[in-house]
Amino acid sequence: MRTLLLLPMVATPVAMALVWVIMLDPSMGVVNYLLSLLGIPPVAWLSDPNIVIPALVMVDTWQWTPMVALICLAGLAALPPDPFEAARIDGASAWARFWHLTLPMLWPTLAVAILFRFIDLLKVIDIVYVMTRGGPGFASEVINVYNFLVGLFYYRVGYGAAISVVIFILVLSTSLVLIRARRVTW
């Protein structure tokens, strides 16, 4: 079961993107077939400008949720049992134990997971490019796809390098904020 749950993370993003293109096909895709069983009409997942970004977010979330889950499970396994036993003896409810013990003690681990996911989100290009090539129109042209097109297809290498520096500054500043937030306790 763990192998099946980790499969999205282990498989290459391009292969997963191609599988999702087939699954989200408006006429033959399994997702629209399952929706039709519920009485919902077919959806043009990758060709509707209003739906393409949520569809890409769904695919990216599906692919990287196992990594976040593994980080969180490792953090949960490392929590000391003594505070939880003391809280249980004192009569704390499950919600109070979660809110006042688990979440504050797990915050450094959650900050690492958020940091990894944010850095990964800023470098997403493979899923978007394979599934939509930035389309329909420019609806799903994220900054990395734009940088790729500008630098390699339009031969504006200097402008593409400037965009890369801006992306680097964005990643660095966000990483510093999350590292600082990780050190702060609740």
Side-chain angles (χ1 to χ4, degrees), residues 13-100:
V14 172
M16 287 293 108
L18 290 172
V19 168
W20 275 98
V21 166
I22 295 168
M23 289 174 53
L24 295 176
D25 185 77
S27 59
M28 299 183 310
V30 69
V31 174
N32 279 332
Y33 171 74
L34 294 174
L35 290 176
S36 70
L37 294 177
L38 299 173
I40 300 171
V43 178
W45 295 99
L46 302 177
S47 58
D48 185 352
N50 298 321
I51 299 176
V52 68
I53 292 293
L56 292 171
V57 167
M58 175 184 66
V59 171
D60 190 66
T61 302
W62 173 81
Q63 185 173 10
W64 292 109
T65 297
M67 182 192 71
V68 174
L70 284 176
I71 292 171
C72 292
L73 284 173
L76 284 171
L79 294 180
D82 298 336
F84 295 100
E85 291 174 13
R88 194 174 299 118
I89 290 171
D90 288 343
S93 67
W95 178 252
R97 287 191 309 266
F98 171 76
W99 190 253
H100 296 290

Side-chain angles (χ1 to χ4, degrees), residues 131-147:
M131 291 182 74
T132 65
R133 298 216 187 330
F138 299 107
S140 67
E141 190 175 76
V142 295
I143 192 167
N144 290 328
V145 172
Y146 178 70
N147 190 18

Side-chain angles (χ1 to χ4, degrees), residues 95-112:
W95 178 252
R97 287 191 309 266
F98 171 76
W99 190 253
H100 296 290
L101 290 175
T102 306
L103 203 53
M105 287 194 290
L106 196 61
W107 171 244
T109 305
L110 292 174
V112 168

